Amino acid sequence: MGKIFKTPKDDSVEETLRAMHLANTVDNVYEWGYGWIRTVVVATISVFILSAVEANSDFSLWESTVEWFYFKLEQLGNWLVDLG
């Protein structure tokens, strides 16, 4: 036998691979769960901050976004009219 397998019944390599797989699975589940928790927390904080800014000023993200989209749509329409 070689250096790794001392006897035909020695399954240390299989046990090592099984332990590595378990550690990798636990690590992936932890990172996935931590990532989702971090995303939810950061999104909630962002919503509260944006709401506070909009409530205490004349700034409105929704109106700014809609006006920007309307302006781009109007520019596209003018470009299409000038094209034809």
Side-chain angles (χ1 to χ4, degrees):
M1 294 285 154
K3 294 181 180 182
I4 295 176
F5 298 103
K6 296 183 171 86
T7 65
K9 295 180 182 177
D10 191 5
D11 59 351
S12 61
V13 173
E14 183 180 345
E15 290 297 323
T16 302
L17 291 175
R18 191 173 292 140
M20 289 172 60
H21 175 69
L22 178 63
N24 191 29
T25 302
V26 170
D27 193 37
N28 287 342
V29 169
Y30 170 77
E31 288 178 2
W32 181 81
Y34 178 70
W36 271 108
I37 290 170
R38 186 179 55 205
T39 301
V40 169
V41 168
V42 168
T44 303
I45 291 171
S46 300
V47 165
F48 282 126
I49 290 172
L50 185 61
S51 296
V53 168
E54 286 186 347
N56 296 320
S57 68
D58 292 334
F59 173 75
S60 173
L61 181 65
W62 173 253
E63 289 177 4
S64 299
T65 305
V66 171
E67 288 173 2
W68 174 85
F69 181 72
Y70 178 75
F71 178 70
K72 291 295 183 182
L73 194 60
E74 187 179 30
Q75 281 184 333
L76 177 65
N78 290 338
W79 178 74
L80 288 174
V81 168
D82 291 341
L83 194 64

